Amino acid sequence: MSANRSLLIVEDDDLLRRALKEQLTAQGDFAVIDEAADGAQSLAAVKTGVYDIILLDIGLPDMNGRDVCLKMREAGVRSPIIILTAADSEDDTIAGLDAGANDYVTKPFRMAVLLARVRAHLRQHNQSDDAIFLVGPYKFQPAAKMLVIGDGQKKIRLTEKETAILKYLYRVGNKTVSRDTLLGEVWGYNAAVTTHTLETHIYRLRQKIEAEPSAARLLLTEPGGYRLSP
Ligand code: CA
């Protein structure tokens, strides 16, 4: 597993949160591990940060984890969310899954069990290439490098880079992504490409997907970067 992933731990128990961070850091799978001690902090974190996976305690001091999960999904968070529940709270578990969580782990849990779940969800999320995402009027099929309208009346073929750009913008939800971040994610952080290369690809992508490429409504230019309209 590549080590440039990011994770958010939402847990009000300071000892548990620190232990989780320590052990996950020791695994070396994550470049970023952020912490939130309550619901409000966690919602602020997902507003600015992009996480590959989120661990979410159900019993938080200011909000129920279920509502936090709902709000995260509403805010466009598409990464896997694993809820942490107490053994005697089956109702909370079900409510959490209903609210859009992908999985749950019951406290007290063994670290190895949690890690195995985290890895399984990251793998699954990565392989969701065969999935179909809705982008504006299109069905976006990353694995086929294709955008389809309706039942296939119109198909737009994308290059590998165009697919990667759209995939990343989709993944972060309704957020602006800086040119540098996009360059790093699509070309690799060590690649010697400039923002001009990225702009050229964005230009070509707009020619393909926008009704009026000069007045983009899907792939938007924002101060500081690009955003995919929801
Ligand atoms: Ca708690």
Side-chain angles (χ1 to χ4, degrees):
M1 193 157 65
S2 72
N4 63 351
R5 298 178 172 283
S6 58
L7 172 138
L8 175 66
I9 306 169
V10 188
E11 168 64 66
D12 60 314
D13 179 337
D14 292 343
L15 282 179
L16 177 57
R17 198 179 61 247
R18 275 182 216 140
L20 278 172
K21 178 163 183 174
E22 230 167 69
Q23 301 216 37
L24 286 161
T25 303
Q27 295 297 317
D29 291 338
F30 296 95
V32 175
I33 301 179
D34 285 347
E35 302 170 60
D38 59 34
Q41 276 183 28
S42 74
L43 291 173
V46 299
K47 234 179 212 168
T48 48
V50 175
Y51 300 100
D52 293 292
I53 193 156
I54 296 168
L55 304 179
L56 173 61
D57 180 30
I58 281 284
L60 294 167
D62 58 337
M63 296 170 74
N64 187 299
R66 174 190 177 274
D67 296 327
V68 175
C69 189
L70 267 181
K71 284 195 190 306
M72 283 184 178
R73 291 303 187 214
E74 277 167 19
V77 173
R78 295 184 172 98
S79 358
I81 297 177
I82 300 179
I83 51 177
L84 312 176
T85 67
D88 56 356
S89 62
E90 200 178 320
D91 288 351
D92 278 348
T93 306
I94 293 164
L97 294 175
D98 280 347
N102 299 70
D103 203 352
Y104 67 94
V105 174
T106 307
K107 290 179 187 175
F109 48 81
R110 286 194 301 130
M111 198 58 202
V113 171
L114 179 67
L115 271 175
R117 296 280 178 87
V118 164
R119 289 196 168 132
H121 281 284
L122 285 173
R123 258 196 315 274
Q124 253 176 37
H125 192 60
N126 252 3
Q127 285 161 0
S128 61
D129 266 12
D130 50 346
I132 295 175
F133 306 115
L134 291 177
V135 174
Y138 305 106
K139 289 177 190 149
F140 175 35
Q141 303 173 351
K145 301 193 191 85
M146 207 185 299
L147 292 166
V148 175
I149 289 188
D151 292 327
Q153 288 96 325
K154 192 181 170 198
K155 288 180 180 168
I156 300 172
R157 294 198 178 282
L158 302 174
T159 64
E160 197 182 322
K161 295 299 184 206
E162 289 163 353
T163 305
I165 290 169
L166 266 192
K167 231 173 93 175
Y168 189 73
L169 290 175
Y170 180 86
R171 195 185 124 208
V172 304
N174 188 22
K175 263 190 217 115
T176 301
V177 176
S178 77
R179 289 177 177 77
D180 282 345
T181 301
L182 206 46
L183 268 178
E185 291 289 338
V186 173
W187 277 270
Y189 282 93
N190 297 317
V193 285
T194 63
T195 50
H196 179 71
T197 307
L198 173 63
E199 280 154 15
T200 307
H201 280 77
I202 295 279
Y203 174 81
R204 290 206 200 115
L205 193 47
R206 280 184 175 143
Q207 299 290 324
K208 291 184 180 182
I209 68 173
E210 298 284 355
E212 269 183 82
S214 58
R217 302 186 66 169
L218 273 178
L219 208 177
L220 310 174
T221 300
E222 297 284 357
Y226 298 105
R227 180 168 65 89
L228 193 62
S229 169

